[in-house]
């Protein structure tokens, strides 16, 4: 059974930092594109960042609203996905989800979205206050 479990969310003041982690279990394709998404109340789920496998070049891509502030990476053991979030803004407040595709997938720059991912974590709340 595939499980994705996020951790690291919490409350922080604007300008602060948080690091989210997503641990995978039972997932057979660690060498694939993986991503982070978020959903704020009343809004649709939006993409935050993706990272392709090291074997395919490890390309990362970010939503314009987080570029330069967030960094997606994999831990050295290769079984967790990380999201380092710096200079947090009030508008970053949302539930953050990690996601993985149902088969090995390459995410092209600007060409990925929720439709590319079939496995999702339960989400972790990030609240940024002014």
């Amino acid at each position: 059974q595939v499980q994705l479990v996020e951790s690291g969310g919490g409350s922080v003041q604007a300008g602060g930092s948080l690091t989210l982690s997503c641990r995978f279990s039972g997932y057979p394709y660690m060498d694939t594109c993986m991503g982070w998404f978020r959903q704020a109340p009343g809004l649709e789920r939006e993409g935050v960042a993706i990272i392709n496998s090291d074997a395919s070049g490890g390309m990362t891509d970010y939503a314009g609203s987080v570029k330069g502030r967030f960094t997606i990476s994999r831990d050295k053991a290769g079984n967790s996905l990380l999201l380092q979030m710096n200079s947090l803004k009030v508008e970053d407040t949302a539930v953050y989800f990690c996601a993985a595709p149902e088969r090995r997938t390459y995410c092209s720059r600007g060409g990925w979205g929720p439709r590319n991912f079939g496995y999702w974590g339960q989400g972790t709340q990030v609240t940024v206050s002014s």
Side-chain angles (χ1 to χ4, degrees):
Q1 182 181 0
V2 175
Q3 285 190 315
L4 283 62
V5 180
E6 302 96 337
S7 61
S11 297
V12 65
Q13 286 195 319
S17 298
L18 284 173
T19 299
L20 305 184
S21 179
C22 175
R23 186 167 184 84
F24 289 72
S25 62
Y27 184 69
Y29 305 121
M30 295 307 293
D31 56 340
T32 184
C33 173
M34 295 177 176
W36 285 96
F37 292 77
R38 67 186 182 186
Q39 189 166 18
L43 298 179
E44 292 186 355
R45 191 167 298 190
E46 64 172 354
V48 174
I50 58 92
I51 183 169
N52 280 303
S53 67
D54 289 344
S56 63
M59 186 270 285
T60 58
D61 195 20
Y62 298 89
S65 59
V66 308
K67 199 171 293 186
R69 300 187 297 121
F70 290 12
T71 303
I72 188 172
S73 64
R74 303 171 189 263
D75 76 331
K76 292 185 177 180
N79 57 9
S80 292
L81 186 67
L82 307 174
L83 185 68
Q84 174 68 43
M85 305 186 295
N86 298 327
S87 303
L88 281 161
K89 303 176 180 180
V90 172
E91 51 265 41
D92 294 319
T93 295
V95 178
Y96 283 71
F97 301 88
C98 62
E102 294 180 338
R103 59 187 62 85
R104 285 189 181 88
T105 297
Y106 180 83
C107 294
S108 59
R109 194 176 300 279
W112 50 276
R115 67 189 183 284
N116 298 110
F117 299 89
Y119 293 111
W120 295 84
Q122 82 289 348
T124 186
Q125 176 71 46
V126 171
T127 302
V128 185
S129 58
S130 58

